[in-house]
Amino acid sequence: MTGKKPHPVDTHVGGRVRMRRMLVGMSQEKLGDRLGLTFQQVQKYEKGTNRIGASRLFEISRILEVPVSFFYDGLTSAEAPAAGFAESGQASFDSEAMTSTDGIALNRAFFRIKDTTMRKRIIDMVKAAADMSE
């Protein structure tokens, strides 16, 4: 392996794979088994160390039950290699925070709350807390 850093798009897509895999409660080993790969290969995909080919990404999307476009959601124009790949003015997405253990736990717990008014209030509270810490 060379000392070359992964491309930001590969890192973003890999992070989205990790996030979705964790949200559905699937281990790297199980995803690897379903793909005919080792869990180490799944790790490399998730870190962006190895690029995910189009057919493999399609298979991952099928297994994780999301459209292929899910893996590109939130890609910022700074990460995108060509104009038009991501919408300008798109809000930045912090995939590291969302794919952390805390981020996954927060997301899972949040979506278990069925009351939409309560969820809205929690969002407002978190925004206010973030504004106070700036």
Side-chain angles (χ1 to χ4, degrees):
M1 182 170 105
T2 66
K4 189 176 176 183
K5 289 181 69 171
H7 192 282
V9 173
D10 297 325
T11 302
H12 178 88
V13 169
R16 298 284 290 179
V17 169
R18 180 175 190 271
M19 178 177 67
R20 180 61 184 169
R21 176 185 59 74
M22 292 179 75
L23 282 172
V24 300
M26 185 179 289
S27 69
Q28 289 177 331
E29 185 175 13
K30 182 162 183 175
L31 179 57
D33 286 346
R34 301 266 315 262
L35 292 167
L37 304 171
T38 64
F39 79 90
Q40 291 96 333
Q41 180 61 43
V42 173
Q43 282 180 329
K44 290 178 183 181
Y45 283 159
E46 291 181 356
K47 290 179 182 178
T49 305
N50 288 4
R51 288 185 175 166
I52 305 172
S55 58
R56 179 86 67 208
L57 190 60
F58 182 81
E59 186 66 13
I60 291 169
S61 75
R62 190 186 64 73
I63 292 167
L64 298 179
E65 299 178 344
V66 292
V68 172
S69 62
F70 168 86
F71 301 111
Y72 295 97
D73 286 349
L75 190 65
T76 64
S77 57
E79 294 168 314
F85 190 72
E87 295 176 14
S88 61
Q90 188 172 11
S92 177
F93 178 79
D94 185 353
S95 64
E96 278 189 42
M98 289 301 296
T99 60
S100 70
T101 303
D102 288 343
I104 297 295
L106 181 63
N107 201 22
R108 278 186 177 160
F110 180 78
F111 284 104
R112 285 197 329 256
I113 300 168
K114 300 298 180 209
D115 184 339
T116 56
T117 302
M118 176 63 76
R119 286 202 311 242
K120 170 85 171 91
R121 288 180 180 161
I122 290 169
I123 292 168
D124 292 343
M125 180 190 69
V126 171
K127 286 179 180 177
D131 289 345
M132 289 176 62
S133 67
E134 288 181 344

